[in-house]
Amino acid sequence: MESTKLVRLMGSALMRSMARYQSGLPKTSPEVQNLADITGIQKIHPIPKDPMHLFKSWFTHHSQLHQDSNLVANVMNVSTASKDGRVNSRSLILRRLDEDGFVIMTDNRSSKSQDLKDNPNAAFTFLWINNVDGLYLARQIRIAGKVIQLETSNWIDVYDSEPLFCKIRAYVCHQGQPVDWDTHKKNHDDLLAQFESGKHDLKRPDHVVAYKLLPTFMDFYESHGLKIADRLKYVRDSETSKNWDCSRIAA
Ligand SMILES: Cc1cc2nc3c(=O)[nH]c(=O)nc-3n(C[C@H](O)[C@H](O)[C@H](O)COP(=O)(O)O)c2cc1C
């Protein structure tokens, strides 16, 4: 297909999804509405000194909202960069929220692990959109900082509490490597049989590792309905500093 045609098609798909989005919102005609109902500026309130408190408050709120619709709030986008500066992004589960950072679990033979070995700087982004009081509450939290690998004893309970298929995956998947489906299925079934007969305990294999991002930057974005979003940017000099500098920035 011609690229201009494709762009036009994508544009109309975007318009349709915007129309669906708008249909849940108040009508925008100035004749029938008080203008204050169709524009304004959102205000994030209150503003805690520690952005981890704001993270927890928004995360808890959206976890509850998502629970009502059987969705999860703990999936985020994780960006890493290679030695030569090529950026790569993918979705990961937030495995644990600590006072000082965000814990993820992965395969240390993966490309993200290679990136993190070469360059410990990473960025995590959460996006939550829920209908609150008939209007879309959209929140984004961007987090950046250095990532450290955790000692196994610090997080082994996270692996141990994984469901069966995840433990089997840890053994049969060499993340990112080519697989033949039939061999893959056979490996799965063989391991399951070994587990069922008590011959395999599915204990954490060495290549399953956990990392923690220690934030030095956090950016909170909030909009609700037809309001201009509000943003708060928190920065600190180092991952051990208790002094976060907070400023309101334009959306
Ligand atoms: C909802 C969702 C959650 C995921 N959670 C994880 C996770 O916690 N750990 C992980 O290694 N991969 C997870 N993945 C797979 C990653 O997105 C990615 O495909 C994989 O980690 C390989 O990434 P890499 O090749 O960039 O290293 C998840 C994927 C989805 C769609």
PDB file of all heavy atoms in Angstrom, residues 38-67:
ATOM      1  N   ILE A  38     -15.612  22.519  29.925  1.00  0.00           N
ATOM      2  CA  ILE A  38     -14.936  21.872  28.796  1.00  0.00           C
ATOM      3  C   ILE A  38     -13.491  22.311  28.632  1.00  0.00           C
ATOM      4  O   ILE A  38     -12.852  21.995  27.645  1.00  0.00           O
ATOM      5  CB  ILE A  38     -15.732  22.066  27.480  1.00  0.00           C
ATOM      6  CG1 ILE A  38     -15.945  23.538  27.185  1.00  0.00           C
ATOM      7  CG2 ILE A  38     -17.047  21.305  27.519  1.00  0.00           C
ATOM      8  CD1 ILE A  38     -16.471  23.809  25.791  1.00  0.00           C
ATOM      9  N   THR A  39     -12.998  23.063  29.594  1.00  0.00           N
ATOM     10  CA  THR A  39     -11.554  23.320  29.642  1.00  0.00           C
ATOM     11  C   THR A  39     -11.181  23.672  31.071  1.00  0.00           C
ATOM     12  O   THR A  39     -12.065  23.833  31.930  1.00  0.00           O
ATOM     13  CB  THR A  39     -11.116  24.429  28.654  1.00  0.00           C
ATOM     14  OG1 THR A  39      -9.687  24.535  28.705  1.00  0.00           O
ATOM     15  CG2 THR A  39     -11.741  25.768  28.977  1.00  0.00           C
ATOM     16  N   GLY A  40      -9.913  23.756  31.332  1.00  0.00           N
ATOM     17  CA  GLY A  40      -9.459  24.069  32.689  1.00  0.00           C
ATOM     18  C   GLY A  40      -8.059  23.522  32.868  1.00  0.00           C
ATOM     19  O   GLY A  40      -7.461  23.022  31.916  1.00  0.00           O
ATOM     20  N   ILE A  41      -7.564  23.644  34.072  1.00  0.00           N
ATOM     21  CA  ILE A  41      -6.222  23.131  34.341  1.00  0.00           C
ATOM     22  C   ILE A  41      -6.278  22.199  35.541  1.00  0.00           C
ATOM     23  O   ILE A  41      -6.761  22.581  36.612  1.00  0.00           O
ATOM     24  CB  ILE A  41      -5.214  24.271  34.583  1.00  0.00           C
ATOM     25  CG1 ILE A  41      -5.189  25.196  33.365  1.00  0.00           C
ATOM     26  CG2 ILE A  41      -3.835  23.691  34.892  1.00  0.00           C
ATOM     27  CD1 ILE A  41      -3.907  25.893  33.085  1.00  0.00           C
ATOM     28  N   GLN A  42      -5.856  20.993  35.311  1.00  0.00           N
ATOM     29  CA  GLN A  42      -5.825  19.991  36.376  1.00  0.00           C
ATOM     30  C   GLN A  42      -4.798  20.392  37.433  1.00  0.00           C
ATOM     31  O   GLN A  42      -3.794  21.047  37.109  1.00  0.00           O
ATOM     32  CB  GLN A  42      -5.462  18.639  35.735  1.00  0.00           C
ATOM     33  CG  GLN A  42      -5.478  17.466  36.657  1.00  0.00           C
ATOM     34  CD  GLN A  42      -6.890  17.126  37.135  1.00  0.00           C
ATOM     35  OE1 GLN A  42      -7.878  17.600  36.583  1.00  0.00           O
ATOM     36  NE2 GLN A  42      -6.966  16.329  38.173  1.00  0.00           N
ATOM     37  N   LYS A  43      -5.078  20.028  38.693  1.00  0.00           N
ATOM     38  CA  LYS A  43      -4.105  20.342  39.742  1.00  0.00           C
ATOM     39  C   LYS A  43      -3.798  19.088  40.551  1.00  0.00           C
ATOM     40  O   LYS A  43      -4.699  18.500  41.156  1.00  0.00           O
ATOM     41  CB  LYS A  43      -4.668  21.421  40.664  1.00  0.00           C
ATOM     42  CG  LYS A  43      -3.644  21.928  41.643  1.00  0.00           C
ATOM     43  CD  LYS A  43      -4.179  23.140  42.388  1.00  0.00           C
ATOM     44  CE  LYS A  43      -3.069  23.782  43.196  1.00  0.00           C
ATOM     45  NZ  LYS A  43      -3.551  24.902  43.979  1.00  0.00           N
ATOM     46  N   ILE A  44      -2.523  18.698  40.552  1.00  0.00           N
ATOM     47  CA  ILE A  44      -2.116  17.551  41.371  1.00  0.00           C
ATOM     48  C   ILE A  44      -2.047  18.035  42.813  1.00  0.00           C
ATOM     49  O   ILE A  44      -1.383  19.034  43.110  1.00  0.00           O
ATOM     50  CB  ILE A  44      -0.747  16.994  40.918  1.00  0.00           C
ATOM     51  CG1 ILE A  44      -0.818  16.510  39.468  1.00  0.00           C
ATOM     52  CG2 ILE A  44      -0.292  15.883  41.853  1.00  0.00           C
ATOM     53  CD1 ILE A  44       0.517  16.080  38.868  1.00  0.00           C
ATOM     54  N   HIS A  45      -2.744  17.333  43.671  1.00  0.00           N
ATOM     55  CA  HIS A  45      -2.840  17.798  45.049  1.00  0.00           C
ATOM     56  C   HIS A  45      -3.153  16.608  45.960  1.00  0.00           C
ATOM     57  O   HIS A  45      -4.009  15.805  45.601  1.00  0.00           O
ATOM     58  CB  HIS A  45      -3.956  18.855  45.142  1.00  0.00           C
ATOM     59  CG  HIS A  45      -4.177  19.332  46.529  1.00  0.00           C
ATOM     60  ND1 HIS A  45      -3.373  20.290  47.120  1.00  0.00           N
ATOM     61  CD2 HIS A  45      -5.092  18.958  47.463  1.00  0.00           C
ATOM     62  CE1 HIS A  45      -3.799  20.492  48.354  1.00  0.00           C
ATOM     63  NE2 HIS A  45      -4.838  19.705  48.587  1.00  0.00           N
ATOM     64  N   PRO A  46      -2.531  16.454  47.118  1.00  0.00           N
ATOM     65  CA  PRO A  46      -1.435  17.255  47.660  1.00  0.00           C
ATOM     66  C   PRO A  46      -0.110  16.884  46.987  1.00  0.00           C
ATOM     67  O   PRO A  46      -0.037  15.912  46.223  1.00  0.00           O
ATOM     68  CB  PRO A  46      -1.427  16.848  49.134  1.00  0.00           C
ATOM     69  CG  PRO A  46      -1.966  15.460  49.149  1.00  0.00           C
ATOM     70  CD  PRO A  46      -2.924  15.350  48.019  1.00  0.00           C
ATOM     71  N   ILE A  47       0.940  17.656  47.300  1.00  0.00           N
ATOM     72  CA  ILE A  47       2.262  17.397  46.711  1.00  0.00           C
ATOM     73  C   ILE A  47       3.208  16.947  47.826  1.00  0.00           C
ATOM     74  O   ILE A  47       3.704  17.768  48.588  1.00  0.00           O
ATOM     75  CB  ILE A  47       2.817  18.668  46.026  1.00  0.00           C
ATOM     76  CG1 ILE A  47       1.839  19.152  44.959  1.00  0.00           C
ATOM     77  CG2 ILE A  47       4.190  18.389  45.446  1.00  0.00           C
ATOM     78  CD1 ILE A  47       2.269  20.425  44.251  1.00  0.00           C
ATOM     79  N   PRO A  48       3.429  15.638  47.947  1.00  0.00           N
ATOM     80  CA  PRO A  48       4.333  15.183  49.007  1.00  0.00           C
ATOM     81  C   PRO A  48       5.795  15.537  48.696  1.00  0.00           C
ATOM     82  O   PRO A  48       6.135  15.733  47.530  1.00  0.00           O
ATOM     83  CB  PRO A  48       4.140  13.664  49.027  1.00  0.00           C
ATOM     84  CG  PRO A  48       3.436  13.318  47.780  1.00  0.00           C
ATOM     85  CD  PRO A  48       2.880  14.550  47.143  1.00  0.00           C
ATOM     86  N   LYS A  49       6.599  15.611  49.762  1.00  0.00           N
ATOM     87  CA  LYS A  49       8.041  15.916  49.561  1.00  0.00           C
ATOM     88  C   LYS A  49       8.743  14.754  48.873  1.00  0.00           C
ATOM     89  O   LYS A  49       9.649  14.938  48.086  1.00  0.00           O
ATOM     90  CB  LYS A  49       8.701  16.120  50.931  1.00  0.00           C
ATOM     91  CG  LYS A  49       8.418  17.473  51.546  1.00  0.00           C
ATOM     92  CD  LYS A  49       9.584  17.852  52.474  1.00  0.00           C
ATOM     93  CE  LYS A  49       9.510  19.299  52.875  1.00  0.00           C
ATOM     94  NZ  LYS A  49       8.824  19.522  54.126  1.00  0.00           N
ATOM     95  N   ASP A  50       8.278  13.528  49.190  1.00  0.00           N
ATOM     96  CA  ASP A  50       8.930  12.340  48.654  1.00  0.00           C
ATOM     97  C   ASP A  50       8.082  11.778  47.501  1.00  0.00           C
ATOM     98  O   ASP A  50       6.934  11.367  47.709  1.00  0.00           O
ATOM     99  CB  ASP A  50       9.051  11.285  49.779  1.00  0.00           C
ATOM    100  CG  ASP A  50       9.809  10.051  49.324  1.00  0.00           C
ATOM    101  OD1 ASP A  50       9.953   9.833  48.107  1.00  0.00           O
ATOM    102  OD2 ASP A  50      10.247   9.290  50.213  1.00  0.00           O
ATOM    103  N   PRO A  51       8.626  11.737  46.272  1.00  0.00           N
ATOM    104  CA  PRO A  51       7.816  11.268  45.138  1.00  0.00           C
ATOM    105  C   PRO A  51       7.399   9.805  45.263  1.00  0.00           C
ATOM    106  O   PRO A  51       6.427   9.382  44.637  1.00  0.00           O
ATOM    107  CB  PRO A  51       8.743  11.468  43.935  1.00  0.00           C
ATOM    108  CG  PRO A  51      10.117  11.493  44.495  1.00  0.00           C
ATOM    109  CD  PRO A  51      10.013  12.073  45.869  1.00  0.00           C
ATOM    110  N   MET A  52       8.135   9.026  46.088  1.00  0.00           N
ATOM    111  CA  MET A  52       7.736   7.623  46.263  1.00  0.00           C
ATOM    112  C   MET A  52       6.363   7.567  46.944  1.00  0.00           C
ATOM    113  O   MET A  52       5.592   6.639  46.714  1.00  0.00           O
ATOM    114  CB  MET A  52       8.768   6.850  47.090  1.00  0.00           C
ATOM    115  CG  MET A  52      10.103   6.669  46.388  1.00  0.00           C
ATOM    116  SD  MET A  52       9.980   5.832  44.793  1.00  0.00           S
ATOM    117  CE  MET A  52      10.211   4.138  45.275  1.00  0.00           C
ATOM    118  N   HIS A  53       6.047   8.560  47.772  1.00  0.00           N
ATOM    119  CA  HIS A  53       4.720   8.588  48.411  1.00  0.00           C
ATOM    120  C   HIS A  53       3.641   8.854  47.365  1.00  0.00           C
ATOM    121  O   HIS A  53       2.567   8.252  47.395  1.00  0.00           O
ATOM    122  CB  HIS A  53       4.662   9.663  49.508  1.00  0.00           C
ATOM    123  CG  HIS A  53       5.562   9.359  50.668  1.00  0.00           C
ATOM    124  ND1 HIS A  53       5.905  10.274  51.624  1.00  0.00           N
ATOM    125  CD2 HIS A  53       6.209   8.212  51.002  1.00  0.00           C
ATOM    126  CE1 HIS A  53       6.725   9.711  52.506  1.00  0.00           C
ATOM    127  NE2 HIS A  53       6.914   8.452  52.146  1.00  0.00           N
ATOM    128  N   LEU A  54       3.945   9.776  46.449  1.00  0.00           N
ATOM    129  CA  LEU A  54       2.967  10.069  45.392  1.00  0.00           C
ATOM    130  C   LEU A  54       2.816   8.844  44.482  1.00  0.00           C
ATOM    131  O   LEU A  54       1.697   8.488  44.075  1.00  0.00           O
ATOM    132  CB  LEU A  54       3.419  11.298  44.592  1.00  0.00           C
ATOM    133  CG  LEU A  54       2.405  11.885  43.614  1.00  0.00           C
ATOM    134  CD1 LEU A  54       1.059  12.161  44.275  1.00  0.00           C
ATOM    135  CD2 LEU A  54       2.938  13.170  42.973  1.00  0.00           C
ATOM    136  N   PHE A  55       3.947   8.177  44.179  1.00  0.00           N
ATOM    137  CA  PHE A  55       3.864   6.965  43.363  1.00  0.00           C
ATOM    138  C   PHE A  55       2.940   5.948  44.029  1.00  0.00           C
ATOM    139  O   PHE A  55       2.030   5.404  43.400  1.00  0.00           O
ATOM    140  CB  PHE A  55       5.249   6.341  43.131  1.00  0.00           C
ATOM    141  CG  PHE A  55       5.149   5.093  42.300  1.00  0.00           C
ATOM    142  CD1 PHE A  55       5.223   5.162  40.920  1.00  0.00           C
ATOM    143  CD2 PHE A  55       4.903   3.854  42.889  1.00  0.00           C
ATOM    144  CE1 PHE A  55       5.068   4.019  40.138  1.00  0.00           C
ATOM    145  CE2 PHE A  55       4.741   2.711  42.120  1.00  0.00           C
ATOM    146  CZ  PHE A  55       4.831   2.801  40.742  1.00  0.00           C
ATOM    147  N   LYS A  56       3.177   5.718  45.341  1.00  0.00           N
ATOM    148  CA  LYS A  56       2.381   4.702  46.049  1.00  0.00           C
ATOM    149  C   LYS A  56       0.903   5.061  46.030  1.00  0.00           C
ATOM    150  O   LYS A  56       0.048   4.202  45.850  1.00  0.00           O
ATOM    151  CB  LYS A  56       2.843   4.608  47.517  1.00  0.00           C
ATOM    152  CG  LYS A  56       3.870   3.532  47.709  1.00  0.00           C
ATOM    153  CD  LYS A  56       4.213   3.391  49.183  1.00  0.00           C
ATOM    154  CE  LYS A  56       5.701   3.253  49.328  1.00  0.00           C
ATOM    155  NZ  LYS A  56       6.231   3.595  50.624  1.00  0.00           N
ATOM    156  N   SER A  57       0.620   6.347  46.231  1.00  0.00           N
ATOM    157  CA  SER A  57      -0.780   6.771  46.284  1.00  0.00           C
ATOM    158  C   SER A  57      -1.469   6.547  44.920  1.00  0.00           C
ATOM    159  O   SER A  57      -2.565   5.995  44.847  1.00  0.00           O
ATOM    160  CB  SER A  57      -0.796   8.224  46.754  1.00  0.00           C
ATOM    161  OG  SER A  57      -1.793   8.934  46.140  1.00  0.00           O
ATOM    162  N   TRP A  58      -0.815   6.937  43.823  1.00  0.00           N
ATOM    163  CA  TRP A  58      -1.411   6.731  42.492  1.00  0.00           C
ATOM    164  C   TRP A  58      -1.472   5.239  42.143  1.00  0.00           C
ATOM    165  O   TRP A  58      -2.473   4.772  41.589  1.00  0.00           O
ATOM    166  CB  TRP A  58      -0.596   7.468  41.419  1.00  0.00           C
ATOM    167  CG  TRP A  58      -0.784   8.951  41.415  1.00  0.00           C
ATOM    168  CD1 TRP A  58      -1.316   9.729  42.425  1.00  0.00           C
ATOM    169  CD2 TRP A  58      -0.433   9.861  40.360  1.00  0.00           C
ATOM    170  NE1 TRP A  58      -1.296  11.044  42.067  1.00  0.00           N
ATOM    171  CE2 TRP A  58      -0.762  11.156  40.791  1.00  0.00           C
ATOM    172  CE3 TRP A  58       0.143   9.713  39.106  1.00  0.00           C
ATOM    173  CZ2 TRP A  58      -0.546  12.290  40.001  1.00  0.00           C
ATOM    174  CZ3 TRP A  58       0.360  10.830  38.312  1.00  0.00           C
ATOM    175  CH2 TRP A  58       0.015  12.102  38.761  1.00  0.00           C
ATOM    176  N   PHE A  59      -0.421   4.504  42.487  1.00  0.00           N
ATOM    177  CA  PHE A  59      -0.373   3.072  42.168  1.00  0.00           C
ATOM    178  C   PHE A  59      -1.500   2.329  42.890  1.00  0.00           C
ATOM    179  O   PHE A  59      -2.199   1.501  42.302  1.00  0.00           O
ATOM    180  CB  PHE A  59       0.996   2.519  42.566  1.00  0.00           C
ATOM    181  CG  PHE A  59       1.193   1.067  42.238  1.00  0.00           C
ATOM    182  CD1 PHE A  59       1.172   0.620  40.940  1.00  0.00           C
ATOM    183  CD2 PHE A  59       1.408   0.141  43.247  1.00  0.00           C
ATOM    184  CE1 PHE A  59       1.362  -0.726  40.629  1.00  0.00           C
ATOM    185  CE2 PHE A  59       1.604  -1.197  42.960  1.00  0.00           C
ATOM    186  CZ  PHE A  59       1.571  -1.628  41.639  1.00  0.00           C
ATOM    187  N   THR A  60      -1.696   2.667  44.174  1.00  0.00           N
ATOM    188  CA  THR A  60      -2.754   2.018  44.945  1.00  0.00           C
ATOM    189  C   THR A  60      -4.117   2.355  44.352  1.00  0.00           C
ATOM    190  O   THR A  60      -4.978   1.483  44.172  1.00  0.00           O
ATOM    191  CB  THR A  60      -2.700   2.503  46.422  1.00  0.00           C
ATOM    192  OG1 THR A  60      -1.377   2.330  46.878  1.00  0.00           O
ATOM    193  CG2 THR A  60      -3.669   1.769  47.309  1.00  0.00           C
ATOM    194  N   HIS A  61      -4.295   3.632  44.020  1.00  0.00           N
ATOM    195  CA  HIS A  61      -5.571   4.066  43.445  1.00  0.00           C
ATOM    196  C   HIS A  61      -5.889   3.301  42.155  1.00  0.00           C
ATOM    197  O   HIS A  61      -6.975   2.731  41.991  1.00  0.00           O
ATOM    198  CB  HIS A  61      -5.499   5.585  43.183  1.00  0.00           C
ATOM    199  CG  HIS A  61      -6.790   6.177  42.722  1.00  0.00           C
ATOM    200  ND1 HIS A  61      -6.869   7.352  42.019  1.00  0.00           N
ATOM    201  CD2 HIS A  61      -8.066   5.762  42.847  1.00  0.00           C
ATOM    202  CE1 HIS A  61      -8.127   7.614  41.733  1.00  0.00           C
ATOM    203  NE2 HIS A  61      -8.874   6.662  42.226  1.00  0.00           N
ATOM    204  N   HIS A  62      -4.906   3.239  41.249  1.00  0.00           N
ATOM    205  CA  HIS A  62      -5.175   2.580  39.962  1.00  0.00           C
ATOM    206  C   HIS A  62      -5.233   1.055  40.097  1.00  0.00           C
ATOM    207  O   HIS A  62      -5.952   0.409  39.335  1.00  0.00           O
ATOM    208  CB  HIS A  62      -4.165   3.038  38.905  1.00  0.00           C
ATOM    209  CG  HIS A  62      -4.452   4.428  38.460  1.00  0.00           C
ATOM    210  ND1 HIS A  62      -5.369   4.721  37.485  1.00  0.00           N
ATOM    211  CD2 HIS A  62      -4.007   5.613  38.938  1.00  0.00           C
ATOM    212  CE1 HIS A  62      -5.448   6.034  37.357  1.00  0.00           C
ATOM    213  NE2 HIS A  62      -4.630   6.600  38.227  1.00  0.00           N
ATOM    214  N   SER A  63      -4.510   0.497  41.085  1.00  0.00           N
ATOM    215  CA  SER A  63      -4.634  -0.953  41.307  1.00  0.00           C
ATOM    216  C   SER A  63      -6.069  -1.269  41.694  1.00  0.00           C
ATOM    217  O   SER A  63      -6.651  -2.250  41.213  1.00  0.00           O
ATOM    218  CB  SER A  63      -3.698  -1.419  42.429  1.00  0.00           C
ATOM    219  OG  SER A  63      -2.382  -1.162  42.080  1.00  0.00           O
ATOM    220  N   GLN A  64      -6.661  -0.420  42.551  1.00  0.00           N
ATOM    221  CA  GLN A  64      -8.060  -0.656  42.949  1.00  0.00           C
ATOM    222  C   GLN A  64      -9.003  -0.473  41.766  1.00  0.00           C
ATOM    223  O   GLN A  64      -9.890  -1.294  41.527  1.00  0.00           O
ATOM    224  CB  GLN A  64      -8.458   0.302  44.085  1.00  0.00           C
ATOM    225  CG  GLN A  64      -7.890  -0.138  45.416  1.00  0.00           C
ATOM    226  CD  GLN A  64      -7.788   0.998  46.427  1.00  0.00           C
ATOM    227  OE1 GLN A  64      -8.110   2.147  46.123  1.00  0.00           O
ATOM    228  NE2 GLN A  64      -7.323   0.678  47.623  1.00  0.00           N
ATOM    229  N   LEU A  65      -8.787   0.590  40.994  1.00  0.00           N
ATOM    230  CA  LEU A  65      -9.661   0.840  39.840  1.00  0.00           C
ATOM    231  C   LEU A  65      -9.550  -0.286  38.810  1.00  0.00           C
ATOM    232  O   LEU A  65     -10.544  -0.714  38.225  1.00  0.00           O
ATOM    233  CB  LEU A  65      -9.304   2.171  39.170  1.00  0.00           C
ATOM    234  CG  LEU A  65      -9.600   3.437  39.978  1.00  0.00           C
ATOM    235  CD1 LEU A  65      -8.943   4.640  39.336  1.00  0.00           C
ATOM    236  CD2 LEU A  65     -11.108   3.664  40.084  1.00  0.00           C
ATOM    237  N   HIS A  66      -8.322  -0.775  38.603  1.00  0.00           N
ATOM    238  CA  HIS A  66      -8.113  -1.838  37.635  1.00  0.00           C
ATOM    239  C   HIS A  66      -8.719  -3.152  38.117  1.00  0.00           C
ATOM    240  O   HIS A  66      -9.190  -3.948  37.311  1.00  0.00           O
ATOM    241  CB  HIS A  66      -6.625  -2.045  37.368  1.00  0.00           C
ATOM    242  CG  HIS A  66      -6.058  -1.070  36.387  1.00  0.00           C
ATOM    243  ND1 HIS A  66      -5.840   0.245  36.689  1.00  0.00           N
ATOM    244  CD2 HIS A  66      -5.668  -1.214  35.106  1.00  0.00           C
ATOM    245  CE1 HIS A  66      -5.339   0.856  35.626  1.00  0.00           C
ATOM    246  NE2 HIS A  66      -5.225  -0.008  34.654  1.00  0.00           N
ATOM    247  N   GLN A  67      -8.679  -3.361  39.426  1.00  0.00           N
ATOM    248  CA  GLN A  67      -9.217  -4.610  39.980  1.00  0.00           C
ATOM    249  C   GLN A  67     -10.694  -4.764  39.607  1.00  0.00           C
ATOM    250  O   GLN A  67     -11.137  -5.845  39.255  1.00  0.00           O
ATOM    251  CB  GLN A  67      -9.112  -4.559  41.498  1.00  0.00           C
ATOM    252  CG  GLN A  67      -8.758  -5.876  42.115  1.00  0.00           C
ATOM    253  CD  GLN A  67      -8.333  -5.659  43.560  1.00  0.00           C
ATOM    254  OE1 GLN A  67      -8.736  -4.690  44.205  1.00  0.00           O
ATOM    255  NE2 GLN A  67      -7.534  -6.573  44.062  1.00  0.00           N
TER     256      GLN A  67
END
